[in-house]
PDB file of all heavy atoms in Angstrom:
ATOM      1  N   TRP A 259      47.415  56.597  14.555  1.00 98.00           N
ATOM      2  CA  TRP A 259      48.468  56.258  15.522  1.00 98.00           C
ATOM      3  C   TRP A 259      48.476  57.242  16.683  1.00 98.00           C
ATOM      4  O   TRP A 259      48.709  56.853  17.828  1.00 98.00           O
ATOM      5  CB  TRP A 259      49.832  56.218  14.833  1.00 98.00           C
ATOM      6  CG  TRP A 259      50.081  54.935  14.104  1.00 98.00           C
ATOM      7  CD1 TRP A 259      49.806  54.671  12.804  1.00 98.00           C
ATOM      8  CD2 TRP A 259      50.641  53.732  14.648  1.00 98.00           C
ATOM      9  NE1 TRP A 259      50.174  53.384  12.499  1.00 98.00           N
ATOM     10  CE2 TRP A 259      50.691  52.778  13.606  1.00 98.00           C
ATOM     11  CE3 TRP A 259      51.116  53.362  15.913  1.00 98.00           C
ATOM     12  CZ2 TRP A 259      51.196  51.488  13.785  1.00 98.00           C
ATOM     13  CZ3 TRP A 259      51.622  52.080  16.086  1.00 98.00           C
ATOM     14  CH2 TRP A 259      51.649  51.161  15.035  1.00 98.00           C
ATOM     15  N   ARG A 260      48.224  58.489  16.393  1.00 98.00           N
ATOM     16  CA  ARG A 260      48.215  59.485  17.474  1.00 98.00           C
ATOM     17  C   ARG A 260      47.141  59.171  18.508  1.00 98.00           C
ATOM     18  O   ARG A 260      47.254  59.560  19.674  1.00 98.00           O
ATOM     19  CB  ARG A 260      48.004  60.891  16.899  1.00 98.00           C
ATOM     20  CG  ARG A 260      49.295  61.551  16.403  1.00 98.00           C
ATOM     21  CD  ARG A 260      49.003  62.959  15.948  1.00 98.00           C
ATOM     22  NE  ARG A 260      50.170  63.669  15.456  1.00 98.00           N
ATOM     23  CZ  ARG A 260      50.955  64.449  16.211  1.00 98.00           C
ATOM     24  NH1 ARG A 260      50.709  64.612  17.496  1.00 98.00           N
ATOM     25  NH2 ARG A 260      51.989  65.072  15.678  1.00 98.00           N
ATOM     26  N   GLU A 261      46.115  58.466  18.071  1.00 97.00           N
ATOM     27  CA  GLU A 261      45.065  58.097  19.030  1.00 97.00           C
ATOM     28  C   GLU A 261      45.551  57.096  20.064  1.00 97.00           C
ATOM     29  O   GLU A 261      44.937  56.921  21.103  1.00 97.00           O
ATOM     30  CB  GLU A 261      43.860  57.520  18.285  1.00 97.00           C
ATOM     31  CG  GLU A 261      42.984  58.636  17.764  1.00 97.00           C
ATOM     32  CD  GLU A 261      41.802  58.125  16.977  1.00 97.00           C
ATOM     33  OE1 GLU A 261      41.576  56.893  16.938  1.00 97.00           O
ATOM     34  OE2 GLU A 261      41.121  58.970  16.389  1.00 97.00           O
ATOM     35  N   MET A 262      46.664  56.414  19.742  1.00 97.00           N
ATOM     36  CA  MET A 262      47.197  55.444  20.703  1.00 97.00           C
ATOM     37  C   MET A 262      48.329  56.065  21.504  1.00 97.00           C
ATOM     38  O   MET A 262      49.211  55.374  21.997  1.00 97.00           O
ATOM     39  CB  MET A 262      47.714  54.224  19.944  1.00 97.00           C
ATOM     40  CG  MET A 262      46.617  53.509  19.203  1.00 97.00           C
ATOM     41  SD  MET A 262      47.232  52.000  18.470  1.00 97.00           S
ATOM     42  CE  MET A 262      47.818  52.575  16.903  1.00 97.00           C
ATOM     43  N   ASP A 263      48.310  57.346  21.612  1.00 98.00           N
ATOM     44  CA  ASP A 263      49.447  58.066  22.185  1.00 98.00           C
ATOM     45  C   ASP A 263      49.989  57.453  23.478  1.00 98.00           C
ATOM     46  O   ASP A 263      49.251  57.258  24.449  1.00 98.00           O
ATOM     47  CB  ASP A 263      49.061  59.518  22.447  1.00 98.00           C
ATOM     48  CG  ASP A 263      50.278  60.327  22.801  1.00 98.00           C
ATOM     49  OD1 ASP A 263      51.072  60.615  21.897  1.00 98.00           O
ATOM     50  OD2 ASP A 263      50.472  60.631  24.003  1.00 98.00           O
ATOM     51  N   PRO A 264      51.275  57.153  23.501  1.00 98.00           N
ATOM     52  CA  PRO A 264      51.857  56.460  24.658  1.00 98.00           C
ATOM     53  C   PRO A 264      51.816  57.282  25.941  1.00 98.00           C
ATOM     54  O   PRO A 264      51.705  56.716  27.033  1.00 98.00           O
ATOM     55  CB  PRO A 264      53.306  56.212  24.232  1.00 98.00           C
ATOM     56  CG  PRO A 264      53.582  57.211  23.155  1.00 98.00           C
ATOM     57  CD  PRO A 264      52.284  57.422  22.452  1.00 98.00           C
ATOM     58  N   ILE A 265      51.902  58.589  25.803  1.00 98.00           N
ATOM     59  CA  ILE A 265      51.888  59.421  27.013  1.00 98.00           C
ATOM     60  C   ILE A 265      50.488  59.431  27.606  1.00 98.00           C
ATOM     61  O   ILE A 265      50.305  59.214  28.812  1.00 98.00           O
ATOM     62  CB  ILE A 265      52.377  60.852  26.685  1.00 98.00           C
ATOM     63  CG1 ILE A 265      53.856  60.803  26.269  1.00 98.00           C
ATOM     64  CG2 ILE A 265      52.157  61.783  27.874  1.00 98.00           C
ATOM     65  CD1 ILE A 265      54.485  62.139  25.948  1.00 98.00           C
ATOM     66  N   GLU A 266      49.508  59.654  26.748  1.00 98.00           N
ATOM     67  CA  GLU A 266      48.146  59.677  27.275  1.00 98.00           C
ATOM     68  C   GLU A 266      47.739  58.337  27.858  1.00 98.00           C
ATOM     69  O   GLU A 266      47.063  58.269  28.884  1.00 98.00           O
ATOM     70  CB  GLU A 266      47.171  60.103  26.172  1.00 98.00           C
ATOM     71  CG  GLU A 266      47.221  61.608  25.982  1.00 98.00           C
ATOM     72  CD  GLU A 266      46.383  62.085  24.819  1.00 98.00           C
ATOM     73  OE1 GLU A 266      45.445  61.363  24.425  1.00 98.00           O
ATOM     74  OE2 GLU A 266      46.693  63.176  24.306  1.00 98.00           O
ATOM     75  N   ARG A 267      48.184  57.268  27.191  1.00 98.00           N
ATOM     76  CA  ARG A 267      47.815  55.944  27.707  1.00 98.00           C
ATOM     77  C   ARG A 267      48.401  55.702  29.083  1.00 98.00           C
ATOM     78  O   ARG A 267      47.726  55.242  30.001  1.00 98.00           O
ATOM     79  CB  ARG A 267      48.302  54.863  26.753  1.00 98.00           C
ATOM     80  CG  ARG A 267      47.249  54.546  25.714  1.00 98.00           C
ATOM     81  CD  ARG A 267      47.823  53.728  24.603  1.00 98.00           C
ATOM     82  NE  ARG A 267      47.948  52.314  24.956  1.00 98.00           N
ATOM     83  CZ  ARG A 267      48.376  51.396  24.077  1.00 98.00           C
ATOM     84  NH1 ARG A 267      48.690  51.739  22.848  1.00 98.00           N
ATOM     85  NH2 ARG A 267      48.462  50.140  24.438  1.00 98.00           N
ATOM     86  N   PHE A 268      49.661  56.030  29.220  1.00 98.00           N
ATOM     87  CA  PHE A 268      50.315  55.764  30.500  1.00 98.00           C
ATOM     88  C   PHE A 268      49.772  56.705  31.576  1.00 98.00           C
ATOM     89  O   PHE A 268      49.515  56.283  32.717  1.00 98.00           O
ATOM     90  CB  PHE A 268      51.832  55.905  30.345  1.00 98.00           C
ATOM     91  CG  PHE A 268      52.589  55.455  31.560  1.00 98.00           C
ATOM     92  CD1 PHE A 268      52.470  54.155  32.032  1.00 98.00           C
ATOM     93  CD2 PHE A 268      53.420  56.331  32.246  1.00 98.00           C
ATOM     94  CE1 PHE A 268      53.167  53.733  33.166  1.00 98.00           C
ATOM     95  CE2 PHE A 268      54.134  55.912  33.374  1.00 98.00           C
ATOM     96  CZ  PHE A 268      54.003  54.622  33.828  1.00 98.00           C
ATOM     97  N   ALA A 269      49.545  57.953  31.206  1.00 98.00           N
ATOM     98  CA  ALA A 269      48.988  58.900  32.177  1.00 98.00           C
ATOM     99  C   ALA A 269      47.596  58.425  32.614  1.00 98.00           C
ATOM    100  O   ALA A 269      47.238  58.510  33.796  1.00 98.00           O
ATOM    101  CB  ALA A 269      48.906  60.297  31.556  1.00 98.00           C
ATOM    102  N   GLY A 270      46.828  57.914  31.655  1.00 97.00           N
ATOM    103  CA  GLY A 270      45.491  57.387  31.967  1.00 97.00           C
ATOM    104  C   GLY A 270      45.573  56.280  33.013  1.00 97.00           C
ATOM    105  O   GLY A 270      44.803  56.244  33.975  1.00 97.00           O
ATOM    106  N   LYS A 271      46.548  55.397  32.831  1.00 97.00           N
ATOM    107  CA  LYS A 271      46.710  54.301  33.792  1.00 97.00           C
ATOM    108  C   LYS A 271      47.033  54.828  35.177  1.00 97.00           C
ATOM    109  O   LYS A 271      46.481  54.384  36.181  1.00 97.00           O
ATOM    110  CB  LYS A 271      47.838  53.371  33.342  1.00 97.00           C
ATOM    111  CG  LYS A 271      47.364  52.297  32.418  1.00 97.00           C
ATOM    112  CD  LYS A 271      48.443  51.244  32.259  1.00 97.00           C
ATOM    113  CE  LYS A 271      48.116  50.393  31.031  1.00 97.00           C
ATOM    114  NZ  LYS A 271      49.239  49.578  30.594  1.00 97.00           N
ATOM    115  N   LEU A 272      47.967  55.783  35.204  1.00 97.00           N
ATOM    116  CA  LEU A 272      48.358  56.341  36.501  1.00 97.00           C
ATOM    117  C   LEU A 272      47.158  57.000  37.175  1.00 97.00           C
ATOM    118  O   LEU A 272      46.981  56.887  38.396  1.00 97.00           O
ATOM    119  CB  LEU A 272      49.501  57.357  36.326  1.00 97.00           C
ATOM    120  CG  LEU A 272      50.857  56.792  35.911  1.00 97.00           C
ATOM    121  CD1 LEU A 272      51.898  57.904  35.816  1.00 97.00           C
ATOM    122  CD2 LEU A 272      51.344  55.731  36.893  1.00 97.00           C
ATOM    123  N   GLN A 273      46.326  57.645  36.370  1.00 97.00           N
ATOM    124  CA  GLN A 273      45.141  58.283  36.953  1.00 97.00           C
ATOM    125  C   GLN A 273      44.189  57.250  37.536  1.00 97.00           C
ATOM    126  O   GLN A 273      43.705  57.393  38.650  1.00 97.00           O
ATOM    127  CB  GLN A 273      44.424  59.135  35.902  1.00 97.00           C
ATOM    128  CG  GLN A 273      44.864  60.583  35.962  1.00 97.00           C
ATOM    129  CD  GLN A 273      44.507  61.363  34.715  1.00 97.00           C
ATOM    130  OE1 GLN A 273      43.812  60.859  33.831  1.00 97.00           O
ATOM    131  NE2 GLN A 273      44.982  62.584  34.655  1.00 97.00           N
ATOM    132  N   GLU A 274      43.991  56.187  36.771  1.00 96.00           N
ATOM    133  CA  GLU A 274      43.100  55.112  37.259  1.00 96.00           C
ATOM    134  C   GLU A 274      43.586  54.573  38.590  1.00 96.00           C
ATOM    135  O   GLU A 274      42.806  54.264  39.478  1.00 96.00           O
ATOM    136  CB  GLU A 274      43.079  53.948  36.262  1.00 96.00           C
ATOM    137  CG  GLU A 274      42.079  54.111  35.147  1.00 96.00           C
ATOM    138  CD  GLU A 274      42.308  53.053  34.066  1.00 96.00           C
ATOM    139  OE1 GLU A 274      42.763  51.933  34.412  1.00 96.00           O
ATOM    140  OE2 GLU A 274      42.069  53.370  32.888  1.00 96.00           O
ATOM    141  N   GLU A 275      44.905  54.454  38.704  1.00 95.00           N
ATOM    142  CA  GLU A 275      45.475  53.925  39.952  1.00 95.00           C
ATOM    143  C   GLU A 275      45.489  54.962  41.060  1.00 95.00           C
ATOM    144  O   GLU A 275      45.918  54.678  42.167  1.00 95.00           O
ATOM    145  CB  GLU A 275      46.945  53.527  39.726  1.00 95.00           C
ATOM    146  CG  GLU A 275      47.140  52.342  38.851  1.00 95.00           C
ATOM    147  CD  GLU A 275      48.603  52.225  38.408  1.00 95.00           C
ATOM    148  OE1 GLU A 275      49.495  52.800  39.051  1.00 95.00           O
ATOM    149  OE2 GLU A 275      48.831  51.561  37.385  1.00 95.00           O
ATOM    150  N   GLY A 276      45.122  56.179  40.713  1.00 95.00           N
ATOM    151  CA  GLY A 276      45.159  57.242  41.711  1.00 95.00           C
ATOM    152  C   GLY A 276      46.564  57.777  41.939  1.00 95.00           C
ATOM    153  O   GLY A 276      46.836  58.443  42.937  1.00 95.00           O
ATOM    154  N   ALA A 277      47.461  57.479  41.013  1.00 96.00           N
ATOM    155  CA  ALA A 277      48.845  57.935  41.169  1.00 96.00           C
ATOM    156  C   ALA A 277      49.068  59.301  40.535  1.00 96.00           C
ATOM    157  O   ALA A 277      50.150  59.874  40.629  1.00 96.00           O
ATOM    158  CB  ALA A 277      49.804  56.914  40.557  1.00 96.00           C
ATOM    159  N   LEU A 278      48.044  59.784  39.862  1.00 97.00           N
ATOM    160  CA  LEU A 278      48.164  61.071  39.183  1.00 97.00           C
ATOM    161  C   LEU A 278      46.831  61.790  39.339  1.00 97.00           C
ATOM    162  O   LEU A 278      45.776  61.215  39.013  1.00 97.00           O
ATOM    163  CB  LEU A 278      48.467  60.815  37.691  1.00 97.00           C
ATOM    164  CG  LEU A 278      48.925  61.980  36.835  1.00 97.00           C
ATOM    165  CD1 LEU A 278      50.350  62.383  37.196  1.00 97.00           C
ATOM    166  CD2 LEU A 278      48.870  61.596  35.353  1.00 97.00           C
ATOM    167  N   ALA A 279      46.893  63.025  39.802  1.00 95.00           N
ATOM    168  CA  ALA A 279      45.642  63.761  40.025  1.00 95.00           C
ATOM    169  C   ALA A 279      45.049  64.251  38.704  1.00 95.00           C
ATOM    170  O   ALA A 279      45.719  64.250  37.670  1.00 95.00           O
ATOM    171  CB  ALA A 279      45.899  64.939  40.954  1.00 95.00           C
ATOM    172  N   GLU A 280      43.829  64.672  38.780  1.00 88.00           N
ATOM    173  CA  GLU A 280      43.041  65.069  37.607  1.00 88.00           C
ATOM    174  C   GLU A 280      43.806  65.976  36.624  1.00 88.00           C
ATOM    175  O   GLU A 280      43.987  65.633  35.471  1.00 88.00           O
ATOM    176  CB  GLU A 280      41.760  65.769  38.107  1.00 88.00           C
ATOM    177  CG  GLU A 280      40.696  65.959  37.049  1.00 88.00           C
ATOM    178  CD  GLU A 280      40.155  64.629  36.490  1.00 88.00           C
ATOM    179  OE1 GLU A 280      40.140  63.626  37.249  1.00 88.00           O
ATOM    180  OE2 GLU A 280      39.782  64.603  35.318  1.00 88.00           O
TER     181      GLU A 280
END
Side-chain angles (χ1 to χ4, degrees):
Chain A
W259 279 92
R260 276 184 180 268
E261 277 178 7
M262 297 186 272
D263 190 74
I265 294 181
E266 282 174 23
R267 270 167 79 176
F268 188 59
K271 272 193 196 166
L272 291 182
Q273 266 163 7
E274 274 169 31
E275 291 166 20
L278 193 72
E280 193 63 30

